[in-house]
Amino acid sequence: MIVGVGVDVVDVARFVATLERAPRLRERLFTPAERDLPPNSLAARFAAKEAIAKALGAPGDLRWQDCTVRRTVGGPPQVELRGTVLARAQALGVTRWHVSISHDAGIASALAIAES
């Protein structure tokens, strides 16, 4: 059963400009495994984290560091949850994630479906 659906769209140039203006933001938003990705991929990971939060009802206490979105070769992105994000997912009965991310023409987008 679908527990929640989230979608997000990010303007890559605007996102990169924000990261350049506030360098510490990269450390706040991304886990060490994500931080060194190229700009398009960072924007797509940010969109995925936003989509995941929306699928969980967008509670304000979720920590960015409690979610990692990993690329898999030949497969969909994998979501690793811990801490606040894992607790919220467990409270909602989420047992599986379906995540799709894309970036083209200066736009990064993501869709997240939480399933029980």
Side-chain angles (χ1 to χ4, degrees):
M1 177 170 78
I2 293 176
V3 174
V5 177
V7 66
D8 197 62
V9 178
V10 175
D11 180 301
V12 175
R14 183 173 165 211
F15 183 75
V16 169
T18 300
L19 288 179
E20 289 172 354
R21 264 192 330 272
R24 290 182 140 177
L25 189 58
R26 183 183 298 247
E27 291 177 10
R28 185 172 153 234
L29 296 177
F30 300 105
T31 63
E34 299 166 319
R35 286 182 195 143
D36 294 329
L37 293 170
N40 284 341
S41 294
L42 279 179
R45 293 309 184 286
F46 179 74
K49 290 181 182 206
E50 280 282 332
I52 289 164
K54 290 173 183 175
L56 293 173
D61 63 343
L62 299 183
R63 293 185 62 238
W64 294 101
Q65 292 286 323
D66 288 345
C67 177
T68 301
V69 180
R70 294 189 186 274
R71 186 183 82 140
T72 59
V73 178
Q78 295 298 306
V79 176
E80 294 177 14
L81 306 180
R82 63 199 148 279
T84 59
V85 182
L86 178 60
R88 177 64 176 177
Q90 289 175 334
L92 294 174
V94 176
T95 58
R96 184 172 173 168
W97 287 96
H98 305 274
V99 176
S100 179
I101 59 179
S102 183
H103 44 79
D104 187 35
I107 300 292
S109 63
L111 171 70
I113 300 171
E115 184 181 354
S116 67

